């Protein structure tokens, strides 16, 4: 069930290639306050660093509340002055933003600022996500995980990116019987049209205990900001009582965002609640077998259903209803998953190189 180790460019955000003949670039990361967005932008930056050194400046972006998204897109498409867009619509002084060679962002609130700065500086710009009412031609490259209606040549469909390099992960330990020693569990919560009942949480916690009792599996569990406090408190209680099924709990209420390294490094397979395609995609990105578990009340938009079908059709994950999920079904379903065979960070780097050769030339890059 555990994936084999893989080759990689051996780096992540904040590090430089060991060998490169290319000069470094200054990248501007326009970041909103949503981890599901800015981690995707960080994933693009990490892939870019496989190609040449980057010095990254991060600028926090917040669209002013009085500026409606529709009006903001209309003004941008009407070629409104970039200075005006940045000052009046974001409260940013363009003179205070560092010079850069490329701009990267994700999330709808960063769209207009991305375009304005690219126009102002005359540099390439990359956006991850849906363009909504904006024009593909205002970007050098658009990356998305959902089918676009425009089908523009600079819009590319990809797996949601992560800043982590799965090639750096060790091969997880196995039990003597060949079954996983440790599995990871990423728990979300109510989001949009996904709603968990007390019974759903009961089923999930019972699965942890049953899988340990029947198969000897232990768990590293992480909650999220959306996880009900009652469920997080129950998990914390299991830790305090030294319940044998749970090795550790990464409680975001204490540890904060971005603390999943231990879970990904040590887990042989990962179970993810179905409310977050970002969590699901990141687990798949790590080249681990993945199981998505969903509550009774779930109604995803068609574009999201299409993305989940894309993941399942490639056998990168399996999905089951919490109400019907047993330890036996979990183990047999995970056995049918085929993790990503190639390092997705390296694949994204190759894509950047093919489509942006002016800043990522094919010759002399670090390999």
């Amino acid at each position: 069930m555990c994936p084999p180790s893989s080759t990689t460019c051996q780096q992540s955000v904040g590090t430089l290639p060991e060998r490169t003949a290319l000069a470094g670039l200054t990248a501007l990361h326009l970041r909103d306050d949503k981890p599901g967005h800015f981690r995707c932008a960080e994933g693009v930056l990490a892939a870019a660093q496989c190609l040449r050194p980057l010095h990254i400046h991060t600028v926090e972006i917040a669209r002013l509340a009085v500026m409606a998204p529709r009006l903001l897109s209309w003004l941008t498409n009407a070629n409104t002055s970039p200075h005006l867009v940045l000052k009046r619509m974001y409260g940013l002084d363009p003179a205070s933003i560092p010079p850069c060679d490329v701009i990267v962002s994700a999330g709808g609130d960063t769209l207009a600022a991305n375009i304005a700065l690219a126009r102002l500086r005359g540099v390439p710009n990359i956006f991850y996500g849906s363009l909504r009412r904006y024009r593909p031609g205002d970007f050098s490259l658009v990356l998305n995980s959902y089918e676009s209606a425009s089908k523009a040549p600079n819009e590319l469909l990809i797996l949601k990116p992560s800043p982590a390099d799965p090639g750096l992960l060790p091969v997880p330990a196995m039990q003597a019987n060949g079954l996983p020693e440790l599995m990871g569990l990423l728990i979300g919560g109510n989001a949009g049209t996904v709603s968990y009942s007390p019974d759903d949480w009961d089923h999930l916690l019972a699965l942890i205990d049953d899988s340990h009792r029947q198969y000897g599996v232990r768990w590293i569990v992480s909650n999220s900001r959306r996880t009900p406090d009652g469920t997080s408190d129950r998990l914390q209680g299991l830790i305090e009582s030294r319940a044998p099924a749970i090795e550790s709990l990464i409680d975001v209420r204490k540890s904060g965002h971005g603390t999943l390294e231990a879970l990904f490094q040590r887990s042989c397979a990962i179970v993810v609640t179905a409310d977050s395609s970002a969590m699901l995609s990141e687990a798949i990105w790590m080249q681990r077998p993945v199981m998505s578990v969903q509550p009774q009340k779930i109604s995803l938009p068609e574009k999201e259903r299409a993305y989940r079908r894309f993941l399942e059709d490639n056998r990168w994950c399996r999905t089951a209803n919490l109400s019907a999920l047993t330890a036996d079904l979990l183990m047999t379903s995970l056995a049918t998953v085929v993790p990503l065979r190639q390092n997705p960070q390296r694949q994204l780097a190759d894509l950047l190189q093919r489509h942006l050769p002016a800043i990522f030339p094919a010759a002399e890059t670090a390999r």
Side-chain angles (χ1 to χ4, degrees):
M1 186 180 295
C2 283
S5 59
S6 57
T7 58
T8 176
C9 58
Q10 301 290 308
Q11 61 185 86
S12 58
V13 169
T15 65
L16 298 179
E18 294 182 1
R19 307 182 308 276
T20 181
L22 295 172
L25 294 176
T26 298
L28 191 65
H29 176 197
L30 303 182
R31 169 176 158 160
D32 66 11
D33 62 351
K34 298 178 176 61
H37 294 160
F38 65 71
R39 281 187 65 79
C40 288
E42 289 170 356
V44 175
L45 290 164
Q49 286 195 340
C50 290
L51 302 170
R52 63 188 303 178
L54 291 186
H55 181 65
I56 301 169
H57 290 292
T58 299
V59 175
E60 301 293 334
I61 288 291
R63 174 179 52 83
L64 298 182
V66 295
M67 183 57 59
R70 185 180 292 271
L71 177 59
L72 187 52
S73 62
W74 184 86
L75 291 170
T76 301
N77 292 337
N79 296 320
T80 301
S81 162
H83 286 88
L84 182 63
V85 169
L86 294 168
K87 285 185 175 181
R88 298 292 180 86
M89 304 173 195
Y90 289 96
L92 293 174
D93 178 8
S96 69
I97 299 175
C100 61
D101 301 300
V102 61
I103 299 166
V104 178
S105 76
D109 283 352
T110 72
L111 278 161
N114 187 319
I115 294 170
L117 277 166
R119 289 172 175 173
L120 194 63
R121 302 285 171 79
V123 298
N125 58 338
I126 304 169
F127 178 76
Y128 172 83
S130 170
L131 290 183
R132 297 166 175 83
R133 302 176 187 87
Y134 292 82
R135 298 176 301 217
D138 284 323
F139 297 90
S140 304
L141 186 64
V142 178
L143 305 170
N144 198 359
S145 300
Y146 304 111
E147 288 285 354
S148 170
S150 73
K151 306 295 184 184
N154 66 329
E155 286 189 87
L156 304 176
L157 194 66
I158 64 169
L159 176 68
K160 289 188 177 184
S162 165
D165 182 350
L168 301 179
L169 296 179
V171 177
M174 302 288 286
Q175 299 181 61
N177 59 10
L179 291 174
E181 183 174 295
L182 280 170
M183 290 177 58
L185 174 59
L186 301 177
I187 302 178
N190 294 346
T193 56
V194 182
S195 179
Y196 295 86
S197 69
D199 284 346
D200 291 319
W201 297 123
D202 289 344
H203 282 298
L204 186 59
L205 269 61
L207 178 69
I208 294 173
D209 183 66
D210 292 344
S211 60
H212 175 71
R213 180 167 40 82
Q214 296 179 41
Y215 292 99
V217 175
R218 302 188 71 212
W219 294 82
I220 300 176
V221 182
S222 175
N223 59 6
S224 75
R225 295 180 296 177
R226 296 193 304 275
T227 306
D229 283 336
T231 299
S232 295
D233 291 342
R234 290 172 66 184
L235 290 165
Q236 185 60 45
L238 293 173
I239 291 292
E240 292 172 357
S241 66
R242 298 189 177 182
I246 301 182
E247 178 183 280
S248 60
L249 170 65
I250 303 169
D251 191 340
V252 297
R253 299 176 300 178
K254 302 174 183 178
S255 59
H257 168 72
T259 53
L260 294 177
E261 183 177 359
L263 185 150
F264 289 130
Q265 282 193 340
R266 300 184 60 206
S267 298
C268 190
I270 301 172
V271 175
V272 184
T273 57
D275 50 276
S276 171
S277 63
M279 289 196 310
L280 178 61
S281 300
E282 186 161 14
I284 292 171
W285 183 276
M286 295 301 178
Q287 296 181 290
R288 300 293 197 238
V290 178
M291 184 81 173
S292 173
V293 294
Q294 61 187 29
Q296 298 180 47
K297 294 182 179 179
I298 181 170
S299 177
L300 298 174
E302 173 52 35
K303 70 173 186 177
E304 185 63 41
R305 292 199 301 272
Y307 181 59
R308 306 291 178 99
R309 287 194 299 270
F310 164 70
L311 300 179
E312 289 222 30
D313 288 347
N314 281 284
R315 298 176 64 192
W316 296 332
C317 71
R318 289 290 179 260
T319 301
N321 294 324
L322 273 169
S323 59
L325 187 58
T326 64
D328 287 340
L329 179 59
L330 172 64
M331 303 305 285
T332 56
S333 296
L334 283 171
T336 69
V337 174
V338 179
L340 290 171
R341 299 188 185 279
Q342 293 181 298
N343 187 320
Q345 186 181 82
R346 182 69 256 178
Q347 288 181 309
L348 180 54
D350 290 343
L351 182 152
L352 293 175
Q353 191 171 67
R354 289 197 305 272
H355 290 271
L356 297 173
I359 55 175
F360 302 119
E364 300 181 305
T365 55
R367 290 285 181 177

